[in-house]
Amino acid sequence: MRASATTAAVRDRTAGRVAVPPAPPGGRLGRVRLLRSWRVLLPAAVGLPLLIMAGAAWLSWQQAWRAAETEMAHAADAAAEYARRLLDGQLLRIEFAEELLNGLSDAEIRVREPELHARLRRGVASGAVSDAEGPPSGLHVLVHDRNAFPLVSSARPSVQRDRPYIDPALAAEMRVVPPGEVRITPVYPGRDTGRQFFSLARRREHAGNRLPEGEFDGFIVASAYVDAVADALRRLAPSAEDAVALVRADGAVLARSMGFEPGRPVPRLGPDNSALAAMRRGEARAARVGRSTADGRERIAAYRRVEGWPVYAAAGRDRAVVAARWRAGALPLLGLGLAATGLLAALTLLVRRKQEELAAANAGLEGRVAERTAALVASERRNREVLDSLGDLLYALDRDGRVRFASRSLLKGWGLGEERVLGRHLLELWPPLVGSLVWEAVRRGIEAREESHLCTVSPVLGRWVEMDVHPPGDGGVTVAVRDVHDLREAEIERRRAEGELRDLLATLDLGAIMARDLDGTVRFWSAGCERLYGWSAAEAAGRSAHALLATRFPVPVAEVEAALLHTGEWRGDLRQRRRDGSEVVVSAHKSLRCDAAGRPVAVAENLTDVTALRRAEEQLRASEERLRLAQEVGGIGAWELDLRTGERHWSDSGYRMWGLEPGEPITRDVVLSLIVPEDRAEAQAAIEQADS
């Protein structure tokens, strides 16, 4: 049920109720309460900012830590790619040497050593086996006979054959290595230069020494100097403080960006290293935070397996470096926050002093306020009577139905002057009212003294109006009319928008599907994606989804990735660009996909174009806001009754008009309790008749 402000005022006057301002609190009691409140407020004014700063510092530390983990993961990926190309290139050099020496005996190689050295040197350094992994000076190939004596080298025109160049343990190992299998050696010092190197070694298979098939007949070694590899790894490190290394799967370190300490053994991962355990299990990725068994430093470390090789690339950053970077960014802000907290505390003390002065001044005014309370009560009663006689559209009829008062706004709406209205019967003025709901409500008010409220299309104005009929004590009726046509049209528009929204929601099953790697590379692009974005599957495959679509996230990307890793999914709206440059808003459901071992391998995305939906929602919210403002400005309330379920829904203004809390359940008993006792039985009968 809805009631106008005018009707509510009339009801209050009829029931004899007048609002009385509350008495002001006692001066002494008020000051005691003020002092007690300040005892809590002052510590809160200082402590709360400190707690906020501590929380911000902790969040900043978490962000710095996650950023370091991300940078190390990217550096490890880059180092793994570099190592793959380096090792693949070295294997190509071995195959080049094998082809160059195909069918030649050891004696023929020694005789033709200058020629073979020149061709081998050109092949190692030229584009024949080029792989862009580093300068040729850091790489060389050396061919050994079955006794591990050198035959020919890419680095020297003539090799010394008085003793083996290679470690005896490696020579013995190569005798039992199956043909075609490649071994990666640990780091050795150079026999003549002292430069450290590691090598790829493989048995010769097509020598011309006429040994029985399968008999060991020497091997070929492709070596890389550690210092040259370390230079390349330093270029891949995000900063000079970070460490990047190549490690065999058994824990032997092959190269490090900071190099090896002179005179000390080449480090290797300790047996209790968790990353070493992951390497031995053959995991493609590993990460750890702890103290390095190689140099004793505590680091954040990321490991990536080099594709096709028993080697891992590792990138690490000292915890102290992360802490230093965090302090450099956080401490100035903390200092500024402490200064602001001190200023706030001083300001709080100043406000407290002013409040005490204000409380003392208020105490002096309390006596005069009490003296004027009686005058205010009388003034309130007179004001209510004046308000009862005023309104936007207001008229009064005597007990015969003749007009005895009409407000100016009503006369303007009728298009008549006061002299043509006063004293004339309402039906004489407006014959179309005969038999209408408007006249029936007026007639019941005059004859049955029944107060009523209705919302209908006025036969006079041709617009939706709300009407309250109140029978005063002297006979006749007072009628308040409000033009709610625009409000009703707004309700119709809102319901139309809701219908469009429901229709739009029914089409959202036509979403597009995309699958990408963890780094964002597109691996699957459905036909729905082609229709949505304009790129074909062939054009999108292999490209970064975020870069291709210029994706804008509602939150930082790091939070989205963290949610995927933590819960396995993320939902939210994204703003993206189509191929034609237009913007599209999509509702994205990202789902993390893992392999059989539970390791994240890809992200599947269900994308639904919600551009029109979001636009409709904005229009719906604007329509509802206009409806709410119209109700607030018009001083009216609204209610709806579901005839099937009997549920009643009231607007917030309707709740306030009746003095109820918004959201309170409205039942028939509640409605009846709001009606004065002498009219309650008659109102109940009318409600029951309407419900039936």
Side-chain angles (χ1 to χ4, degrees):
M1 172 180 278
R2 293 184 291 188
S4 68
T6 302
T7 305
V10 171
R11 182 182 297 106
D12 287 346
R13 185 184 63 184
T14 304
R17 296 194 297 269
V18 178
V20 180
R28 182 177 179 183
L29 179 59
R31 287 192 292 274
V32 170
R33 290 176 177 174
L34 180 62
L35 291 175
R36 289 178 179 176
S37 65
W38 275 108
R39 291 175 184 173
V40 177
L41 182 59
L42 183 58
V46 177
L48 184 59
L50 293 177
L51 289 175
I52 293 175
M53 285 189 292
W58 182 82
L59 291 175
S60 175
W61 169 255
Q62 295 296 316
Q63 184 177 6
W65 191 264
R66 288 193 296 268
E69 290 177 336
T70 301
E71 289 184 9
M72 292 305 97
H74 291 168
D77 289 336
E81 177 62 18
Y82 161 76
R84 182 191 66 78
R85 299 177 67 179
L86 171 65
L87 296 175
D88 288 350
Q90 291 294 76
L91 181 59
L92 287 174
R93 290 179 175 88
I94 291 176
E95 292 176 348
F96 174 76
E98 180 73 44
E99 183 178 355
L100 179 64
L101 304 179
N102 186 21
L104 296 180
S105 65
D106 294 351
E108 290 173 321
I109 293 173
R110 294 188 185 98
V111 171
R112 297 173 56 186
E113 182 181 5
E115 172 203 347
L116 296 175
H117 157 73
R119 295 176 63 184
L120 188 59
R121 180 180 179 83
R122 287 194 301 271
V124 169
S126 70
V129 290
S130 175
D131 46 80
E133 77 292 344
S137 60
L139 309 170
H140 64 275
V141 175
L142 183 61
V143 182
H144 299 264
D145 64 12
R146 68 181 63 87
N147 296 316
F149 284 86
L151 290 173
V152 64
S153 169
S154 67
R156 294 189 175 190
S158 177
V159 296
Q160 297 180 6
R161 299 186 177 87
D162 56 342
R163 57 190 172 117
Y165 269 40
I166 204 69
D167 183 76
L170 176 61
E173 182 181 1
M174 294 307 297
R175 289 182 174 274
V176 297
V177 171
E181 184 173 317
V182 179
R183 289 299 171 91
I184 301 176
T185 73
V187 174
Y188 294 115
R191 190 182 74 169
D192 299 325
T193 64
R195 290 178 69 184
Q196 294 177 316
F197 66 92
F198 65 90
S199 307
L200 270 64
R202 194 176 76 176
R203 288 176 54 168
R204 289 185 63 193
E205 299 182 19
H206 304 292
N209 295 316
R210 298 183 179 180
L211 295 179
E213 185 176 356
E215 185 76 17
F216 176 69
D217 200 8
F219 55 97
I220 303 173
V221 173
S223 303
Y225 285 118
V226 171
D227 53 2
V229 177
D231 288 340
L233 295 179
R234 275 193 292 274
R235 291 192 292 272
L236 297 176
S239 67
E241 297 92 349
D242 299 329
V244 182
L246 300 181
V247 186
R248 286 197 322 191
D250 62 353
V253 180
L254 300 178
R256 294 195 308 178
S257 59
M258 72 285 290
F260 299 132
E261 296 185 24
R264 299 192 62 179
V266 176
R268 63 181 298 119
L269 301 184
D272 57 344
N273 190 295
S274 60
L276 178 59
M279 293 178 187
R280 289 173 174 169
R281 291 193 298 268
E283 295 181 6
R285 295 172 178 264
R288 69 184 298 267
V289 178
R291 195 169 299 279
S292 171
T293 57
D295 56 16
R297 296 184 180 181
E298 188 174 10
R299 288 193 180 94
I300 304 171
Y303 296 83
R304 298 292 184 269
R305 186 175 63 194
V306 179
E307 183 179 356
W309 298 94
V311 176
Y312 281 77
R317 176 173 294 171
D318 288 0
R319 177 187 287 268
V321 174
V322 179
R325 294 186 179 182
W326 169 77
R327 286 194 298 271
L331 289 183
L333 296 178
L334 290 176
L336 181 62
L338 290 174
T341 301
L343 182 61
L344 179 61
L347 182 61
T348 303
L349 291 174
L350 178 61
V351 172
R352 173 183 176 179
R353 185 178 304 163
K354 295 298 182 181
Q355 287 288 344
E356 290 174 347
E357 295 174 357
L358 181 61
N362 288 339
L365 294 175
E366 289 176 359
R368 282 173 287 178
V369 170
E371 293 174 359
R372 299 192 60 182
T373 300
L376 289 175
V377 170
S379 176
E380 176 70 15
R381 182 180 298 107
R382 288 192 299 273
N383 289 340
R384 287 184 180 275
E385 291 174 354
V386 170
L387 289 175
D388 287 344
S389 64
L390 299 177
D392 291 337
L393 302 172
L394 186 67
Y395 63 95
L397 305 178
D398 61 19
R399 64 186 63 197
D400 298 322
R402 300 181 181 277
V403 180
R404 62 182 183 182
F405 170 79
S407 65
R408 293 180 180 178
S409 56
L410 181 67
L411 292 173
K412 183 178 180 180
W414 282 352
L416 299 174
E418 190 176 39
E419 67 282 357
R420 295 183 57 188
V421 172
L422 297 183
R424 298 181 64 184
H425 197 280
L426 184 63
L427 295 181
E428 180 185 354
L429 284 171
W430 302 110
L433 290 177
V434 176
S436 67
L437 294 177
V438 173
W439 174 248
E440 287 301 314
V442 170
R443 185 185 59 78
R444 289 197 303 271
I446 295 174
E447 298 176 1
R449 315 304 300 156
E450 178 180 334
E451 190 172 285
S452 59
H453 170 87
L454 72 154
C455 181
T456 183
V457 176
S458 169
V460 176
L461 302 176
R463 296 171 61 86
W464 281 95
V465 296
E466 279 189 344
M467 188 177 75
D468 290 282
V469 178
H470 174 70
D474 58 350
V477 291
T478 300
V479 181
V481 181
R482 285 163 305 284
D483 187 342
V484 295
H485 189 79
D486 292 340
L487 184 64
R488 293 290 295 185
E489 290 294 323
E491 284 188 72
I492 294 172
E493 174 62 20
R494 178 179 64 83
R495 292 177 180 177
R496 185 193 63 78
E498 289 176 348
E500 290 180 354
L501 181 59
R502 285 192 294 269
D503 294 340
L504 181 61
L505 290 173
T507 67
L508 292 181
D509 289 336
L510 303 177
I513 304 297
M514 174 178 65
R516 61 173 179 82
D517 292 340
L518 297 180
D519 62 359
T521 302
V522 175
R523 297 304 180 195
F524 175 75
W525 187 267
S526 70
C529 286
E530 293 180 346
R531 293 190 298 270
L532 177 59
Y533 297 113
W535 280 283
S536 67
E539 292 171 326
R543 299 182 65 180
S544 170
H546 300 337
L548 179 67
L549 303 176
T551 303
R552 287 185 291 163
F553 289 84
V555 297
V557 177
E559 292 186 16
V560 177
E561 299 297 335
L564 281 172
L565 294 176
H566 182 64
T567 65
E569 64 175 0
W570 180 86
R571 296 174 185 268
D573 282 3
L574 305 176
R575 293 188 175 273
Q576 298 176 325
R577 291 286 179 186
R578 295 188 176 98
R579 184 171 187 171
D580 60 6
S582 61
E583 185 178 74
V584 59
V585 180
V586 299
S587 175
H589 179 196
K590 298 175 179 284
S591 178
L592 188 65
R593 293 293 179 261
C594 301
D595 59 15
R599 295 183 296 267
V601 294
V603 177
E605 301 188 13
N606 189 347
L607 306 162
T608 304
D609 183 358
V610 295
T611 306
L613 174 61
R614 295 297 178 256
R615 187 179 300 115
E617 289 175 344
E618 285 296 328
Q619 294 173 353
L620 178 59
R621 283 193 292 271
S623 175
E624 291 177 342
E625 179 64 13
R626 290 195 297 270
L627 175 61
R628 185 189 66 77
L629 289 175
Q631 291 179 346
E632 292 290 341
V633 171
I636 61 175
W639 63 270
E640 296 180 1
L641 173 63
D642 191 326
L643 297 178
R644 295 175 299 175
T645 64
E647 294 183 356
R648 294 176 172 84
H649 302 281
W650 286 30
S651 66
D652 290 345
S653 56
Y655 277 106
R656 288 194 298 271
M657 191 174 295
W658 286 96
L660 301 175
E661 290 295 329
E664 181 178 340
I666 302 302
T667 63
R668 179 181 298 177
D669 294 338
V670 171
V671 174
L672 292 174
S673 69
L674 299 174
I675 300 174
V676 294
E678 55 268 24
D679 295 338
R680 193 169 295 162
E682 186 175 355
Q684 183 173 3
I687 292 174
E688 290 176 352
Q689 180 180 359
D691 288 346
S692 62

